Amino acid sequence: MANLRLTFKMKLVPLAIGLLALLIASAAAPAIAAPFLIENGQPQAVIITAEEPTRSARLAATELQTYLEKISGARLEIVTTPSAELPLRIFVGESDPAREAGVTSDGLTRDAFRVQSGPDWLALVGNDLDFEPIEPWARHHSQWASEKQAEWEKLAGHPWMNPIGASLYRSHSRELGMWTFDHRGSLNAVYAFLRDLGVRWYMPGELGEIVPTSKSVVLPEVDRTVIPEFEIRSIGRPLLSSQEIDDAMWYLRIGANHLYSVLHHGQRYLTEHPEQRAKNPEYYGMLADGTRDTQRKTATACLSSEGFFEEMVAFARLMFDHYEVPVVSVMPHDGFRHCQCEVCLPQMTPERGPSGSSSDYVWDFVVRVADELAETHPDLKVFCGAYSTYRLPPLTINKLPDNVWTQITNGRPIREMDDAVHEEAARLRAEWAEKTNNPLSVTLNYSPFTNRGAFRPQYWPHVAARGIQDSHDEVWREDVWPSTGKGGLHHPAMAHLNPWVISRFWWNADQDIDVLLDEYYELFYGPAAAEMKTFIEYCEVEFARLASDAEVSRTALELFDASLAKAPADSPFGQRLALVDEFLTTFRARAAQIGIERPEGLPHHRIIDMSSDKWRDARDTLTMDGQLEEPFWTAYNYPRPLRDARTGRSPAAQTRFHVRWLNDSLYFGIHCELPDGETPAVGSTESGAPAIFEGEHLELLIETDKHSYYQIALNPAGEILDLDRGADEKNRDDWSSEAEIATYVGEGFWSAELRFPVTASQEDPLHQIVGSRPFQSRQRDLDSGKGTSLPWHFNLVRKRGGSEGEMTAFAPLGEGEETFYTPLWFAKIYVQ
């Protein structure tokens, strides 16, 4: 069925009738006199599905078969009718035999399930529904532009983007043949039964699972109905559509799902289309200079534009009628700017601060659209997030219409342990609850805060549990974006805990987090359980200081090292710890870096980030010819000088430089003056030759957050010598910066342009500069955990006439015995 109209309850409460009896029994001495599903390694039951089972039931049967075999060694047959040879039956999903036993999914909401037994049967049955996509939709990225877009444009009749058809393929797993939007109650029932047998899926892959062993499994006496605490349990990672099948299976096993709808910044589908910008500039917000904001990718709309309002309504109706979605977002585009036109500007309320200055303005538009849609689609919903300058509830609206759903960005705390933070989040939810008769939705955006400093251990089990317990009675949907970058599932040994804990509380918010964690520590880390408990919970409390406090970082690593020593390296416990240790490689380097006390008064340099909209016109002008004449360099023409290496004074032949960052590359532009009539001495015309040091040359010394350090020498002929000063002397020249270089010799100067590609991956240490993008945050950001200090350190040195000639540097050395090759004396460099 294509129509997945959403059914929700104001409060979802799990119904349980007793606890499961003992399920795994010893073959020699069973604990209770009950029939066996498996006895002494021999099947006593078959798994029964419908002749044409739902996708959920089909996979559920296979998963049950697989894990019962892992537990006992017995492989149960999957059939559609009872067996004459085996006495017991396990019904998976609805089927005629299950209905004859009196078990159906009647009355169950999405993904809810029943685990029920009789004298000779066990039923694992849930709310299942196979999603069916509606044309036009693309099966892969290129198909949209080549085949489907024309069909959509004819259907829409407006210059609109398509939020459904253009990207629907991303919600499908080809390998599993399943959609993210499938209802999977029967699969959830099987996983609940297997968890009762002791199976745990803590992390993607076999290393992440716990499977007990027993030759016998009893038929339990059970009658249990389970309804998840949250009807929609969306998570940004793992994904069902992941190319890694282990990740896709983990998504299913933790019980995540997603809403088939148009959510998040729905106005963008009207404002991003280039034809819309050209045809209807009056739809776009006016800037302070009187022009319309049609150039930014995230250009926001003029919400007083009648034409835009009419198109927003028409767009929602098309989504409702054609794609049969239950809800359409009318939320403004990200990067919201309040329109400055004479109608919109007076609707601003700056006295409400940065979180409420546009609340009345935005939510008035939402209500206008909702009222119009209620005339034709009274049972469907309009969606908007409480976000940015419209995060606070509007003052001019007493009650939102019943067809408006509200989402609060970071509607519960995501990192902080502090009571005041939880109380503030609760107050905001309460204020919004007064404005609506509907339950709330919350988005938890962990990602932006962990991308900067993602090398830190990122554990928040207590914060997540407390937040869900505080809010679950008033929230029907959670949309969680876990850590990305290095903190994502590329390092599952660290990154699994947060989504796993969240998923368990999505299904049962009233459980004790410490009981849940104690079992986790024991099963997952075995002999290192106590030490890992201490390490993880220390990192949770001290997260904000892990990137900036040397003592805190050192303590965390000492706690982990104590864990590492507890488990044999070749055991599953040791292998899990080894993966955590691999993740901590950068954290160890960072801890060593922040533990160094650098001399006071060293200079620092801010890198210009050319990806900013401010430099849109300048960033594509660079021609690598060594001359530094393009706007790429001159649009911000404040070069920094080098000074005498010992005295710090300005030299007669000055050197000035610029630094830029663009597309994961570091750019240097360097201008070197020459005395009248002098031409620069060139020591070598061959790259890689040590003779480069014999003539005039520049040396760039770079210490990143991941490596200390690199040395790059360059002469006026454009010849380069790359050295890895972090390697032993005989292997230093194995490394290549892969730099793009251009030099130019003019009258009275020579100049150079350099582009260094930068990679965060440490898989190939012999090529490119290895490091995360260098950041600098304010101290209050560091203290709050909202930022991190991740600068690099560097020095730029010019030597004229070889090693005995004049020497200038950005970070002078003073009169001591220090050398240029002492990282403690490097200057700080960062993108801000």
Side-chain angles (χ1 to χ4, degrees):
M1 296 175 62
N3 188 344
L4 300 187
R5 300 301 195 199
L6 189 68
T7 303
F8 74 93
K9 304 177 76 172
M10 286 295 293
K11 184 176 181 181
L12 300 177
V13 181
L15 307 174
I17 305 177
L19 297 175
L20 286 183
L22 182 65
L23 297 176
I24 298 180
S26 164
I32 56 175
F36 287 97
L37 298 172
I38 299 169
E39 185 174 16
N40 293 325
Q42 297 300 314
Q44 301 300 311
V46 291
I47 299 170
I48 298 177
T49 70
E51 292 188 5
E52 295 184 5
T54 64
R55 289 190 283 262
S56 170
R58 182 182 294 109
L59 179 60
T62 301
E63 286 280 84
L64 180 63
Q65 180 188 58
T66 297
Y67 279 93
L68 287 178
E69 185 174 12
K70 285 185 177 185
I71 290 169
S72 67
R75 187 172 181 83
L76 275 61
E77 187 179 2
I78 299 173
V79 299
T80 58
T81 58
S83 167
E85 290 78 21
L86 298 177
L88 302 185
R89 297 159 291 163
I90 304 177
F91 306 122
V92 176
E94 286 196 299
S95 64
D96 289 339
R99 280 186 282 273
E100 290 172 4
V103 182
T104 71
S105 64
D106 292 350
L108 294 179
T109 58
R110 177 177 177 177
D111 291 345
F113 59 86
R114 293 191 174 101
V115 179
Q116 191 173 347
S117 65
D120 59 357
W121 54 266
L122 173 69
L124 306 172
V125 175
N127 178 299
D128 296 347
L129 180 66
D130 287 347
F131 170 76
E132 295 180 7
I134 296 171
E135 294 287 355
W137 68 279
R139 277 66 173 172
H140 50 80
H141 176 71
S142 61
Q143 189 188 33
W144 182 254
S146 62
E147 300 178 32
K148 301 293 183 178
Q149 187 169 347
E151 184 179 345
W152 160 250
E153 290 176 351
K154 182 179 179 180
L155 175 68
H158 293 268
W160 297 337
M161 311 291 281
N162 187 313
I164 299 292
S167 58
L168 196 60
Y169 66 92
R170 297 175 184 170
S171 298
H172 183 254
S173 170
R174 290 186 180 181
E175 188 163 353
L176 297 174
M178 296 192 72
W179 287 91
T180 302
F181 312 118
D182 289 340
H183 294 193
R184 294 185 286 273
S186 297
L187 185 60
N188 291 330
V190 164
Y191 289 143
F193 174 67
L194 291 173
R195 275 192 292 270
D196 287 331
L197 291 177
V199 180
R200 300 290 182 268
W201 295 279
Y202 290 126
M203 183 178 80
E206 287 194 8
L207 187 61
E209 67 183 27
I210 306 294
V211 181
T213 58
S214 175
K215 289 295 184 181
S216 298
V217 178
V218 300
L219 171 67
E221 292 185 14
V222 60
D223 186 356
R224 183 174 63 167
T225 297
V226 176
I227 301 173
E229 297 276 357
F230 298 87
E231 187 168 354
I232 301 301
R233 307 168 302 279
S234 181
I235 194 163
R237 184 175 292 176
L239 296 171
L240 177 65
S241 57
S242 172
Q243 293 182 357
E244 298 293 332
I245 190 63
D246 287 342
D247 288 358
M249 290 305 304
W250 197 52
Y251 175 91
L252 296 173
R253 289 164 181 165
I254 65 176
N257 68 4
H258 195 64
L259 179 64
Y260 173 66
S261 58
V262 181
L263 297 178
H264 306 303
H265 308 295
Q267 292 182 19
R268 64 177 296 189
Y269 304 109
L270 278 65
T271 59
E272 282 192 0
H273 200 294
E275 289 184 20
Q276 185 82 283
R277 297 183 177 211
K279 180 182 177 182
N280 297 302
E282 71 278 7
Y283 288 4
Y284 294 81
M286 182 176 288
L287 302 175
D289 63 3
T291 62
R292 294 287 177 174
D293 182 16
T294 59
Q295 299 304 310
R296 287 189 310 138
K297 180 180 179 181
T298 59
T300 48
C302 170
L303 300 186
S304 64
S305 166
E306 281 303 311
F308 180 79
F309 168 77
E310 290 170 2
E311 287 206 24
M312 188 80 257
V313 171
F315 173 81
R317 284 177 173 151
L318 180 60
M319 290 295 107
F320 289 150
D321 294 338
H322 183 79
Y323 281 111
E324 300 184 4
V325 298
V327 57
V328 171
S329 168
V330 298
M331 183 179 177
H333 206 314
D334 211 352
F336 179 77
R337 292 179 181 177
H338 195 114
C339 176
Q340 302 294 295
C341 78
E342 60 182 7
V343 178
C344 296
L345 185 58
Q347 299 180 58
M348 182 178 283
T349 54
E351 66 276 7
R352 299 196 69 194
S355 296
S357 61
S358 295
S359 288
D360 293 343
Y361 172 66
V362 170
W363 289 97
D364 176 72
F365 177 82
V366 172
V367 170
R368 288 174 58 213
V369 174
D371 287 345
E372 190 75 14
L373 291 171
E375 297 294 325
T376 54
H377 300 79
D379 297 328
L380 303 180
K381 305 296 182 182
V382 170
F383 190 90
C384 186
Y387 178 64
S388 182
T389 56
Y390 48 96
R391 190 166 191 255
L392 297 181
L395 298 179
T396 56
I397 301 169
N398 292 325
K399 205 78 167 181
L400 294 170
D402 285 344
N403 65 335
V404 173
W405 276 348
T406 302
Q407 168 188 282
I408 305 176
T409 301
N410 292 332
R412 62 172 171 83
I414 57 176
R415 298 178 313 284
E416 294 84 350
M417 304 285 283
D418 187 69
D419 288 346
V421 174
H422 284 263
E423 292 167 3
E424 181 181 353
R427 280 195 299 271
L428 181 62
R429 291 194 304 270
E431 290 172 1
W432 273 108
E434 291 181 358
K435 295 287 183 179
T436 178
N437 294 323
N438 294 319
L440 301 172
S441 168
V442 296
T443 290
L444 292 310
N445 201 350
Y446 289 87
S447 301
F449 306 110
T450 56
N451 283 343
R452 298 186 177 187
F455 59 85
R456 284 178 285 181
Q458 300 160 42
Y459 299 111
W460 300 291
H462 291 89
V463 176
R466 179 181 178 183
I468 293 175
Q469 288 175 333
D470 288 351
S471 63
H472 72 99
D473 284 339
E474 58 205 26
V475 173
W476 69 278
R477 169 184 175 269
E478 281 212 347
D479 183 15
V480 177
W481 293 84
S483 309
T484 57
K486 184 165 182 168
L489 288 179
H490 299 293
H491 290 265
M494 192 288 302
H496 68 270
L497 184 58
N498 295 330
W500 178 76
V501 166
I502 290 168
S503 73
R504 292 301 84 222
F505 276 76
W506 275 343
W507 286 85
N508 178 11
D510 296 325
Q511 62 189 305
D512 188 321
I513 180 60
D514 289 310
V515 172
L516 187 74
L517 287 175
D518 284 345
E519 182 193 69
Y520 161 77
Y521 296 135
E522 187 65 32
L523 294 178
F524 202 67
Y525 292 115
E531 290 76 11
M532 282 302 289
K533 172 184 172 72
T534 303
F535 166 70
I536 287 171
E537 296 181 10
Y538 178 82
C539 290
E540 181 175 32
V541 172
E542 297 291 352
F543 176 77
R545 297 199 294 162
L546 286 173
S548 59
D549 189 310
E551 183 177 351
V552 169
S553 301
R554 183 166 53 250
T555 299
L557 289 168
E558 289 172 353
L559 292 173
F560 176 74
D561 289 343
S563 305
L564 201 59
K566 284 286 186 175
D570 58 352
S571 69
F573 311 115
Q575 292 174 47
R576 293 165 187 149
L577 291 168
L579 290 176
V580 178
D581 193 33
E582 178 185 325
F583 170 83
L584 294 175
T585 300
T586 302
F587 181 56
R588 292 183 186 278
R590 178 58 180 161
Q593 186 186 56
I594 63 177
I596 297 173
E597 293 187 9
R598 297 180 183 268
E600 295 183 2
L602 291 176
H604 60 87
H605 186 64
R606 180 169 66 94
I607 303 171
I608 302 301
D609 183 0
M610 298 301 289
S611 64
S612 170
D613 283 349
K614 181 177 181 179
W615 310 114
R616 181 190 302 109
D617 295 335
R619 60 174 164 248
D620 296 328
T621 64
L622 178 63
T623 300
M624 293 290 285
D625 56 11
Q627 297 189 53
L628 311 181
E629 293 180 346
E630 303 90 352
F632 184 87
W633 303 111
T634 61
Y636 185 85
N637 194 21
Y638 297 95
R640 299 296 295 275
L642 304 189
R643 299 189 179 277
D644 185 275
R646 292 297 178 184
T647 67
R649 296 171 183 167
S650 180
Q654 293 192 350
T655 305
R656 298 181 181 274
F657 70 98
H658 307 265
V659 192
R660 307 284 188 261
W661 183 277
L662 181 64
N663 297 333
D664 293 322
S665 290
L666 185 68
Y667 291 80
F668 277 82
I670 308 166
H671 181 92
C672 305
E673 292 184 0
L674 295 169
D676 291 343
E678 182 178 312
T679 57
V682 174
S684 176
T685 57
E686 180 183 353
S687 285
I692 288 175
F693 291 115
E694 299 304 318
E696 168 140 351
H697 66 279
L698 297 165
E699 291 185 38
L700 186 59
L701 314 172
I702 299 178
E703 178 185 58
T704 75
D705 64 310
K706 295 184 177 181
H707 191 73
S708 183
Y709 62 97
Y710 300 109
Q711 178 184 7
I712 301 105
L714 171 73
N715 70 12
E719 307 302 336
I720 189 172
L721 175 62
D722 293 331
L723 297 172
D724 180 357
R725 300 281 296 203
D728 57 71
E729 189 169 356
K730 67 178 180 179
N731 294 316
R732 285 178 179 173
D733 59 358
D734 290 343
W735 173 74
S736 171
S737 67
E738 304 292 304
E740 182 180 357
I741 296 167
T743 58
Y744 178 81
V745 179
E747 186 174 347
F749 74 95
W750 70 279
S751 55
E753 293 173 323
L754 304 94
R755 183 186 73 84
F756 297 104
V758 177
T759 177
S761 172
Q762 295 174 295
E763 295 179 0
D764 181 5
L766 299 182
H767 299 90
Q768 303 186 36
I769 292 175
V770 176
S772 304
R773 174 173 167 157
F775 283 106
Q776 171 72 7
S777 295
R778 298 166 296 185
Q779 187 59 45
R780 67 170 180 260
D781 292 331
L782 302 178
D783 294 339
S784 68
K786 293 182 179 179
T788 183
S789 177
L790 249 180
W792 294 359
H793 293 85
F794 87 113
N795 206 355
L796 177 61
V797 180
R798 180 186 178 187
K799 295 182 180 178
R800 299 193 59 239
S803 58
E804 301 302 322
E806 179 185 72
M807 294 185 295
T808 54
F810 181 62
L813 299 177
E815 298 294 342
E817 297 181 356
E818 295 80 7
T819 72
F820 291 116
Y821 311 115
T822 304
L824 277 178
W825 288 86
F826 290 0
K828 183 185 292 186
I829 189 169
Y830 54 87
V831 178
Q832 190 172 49

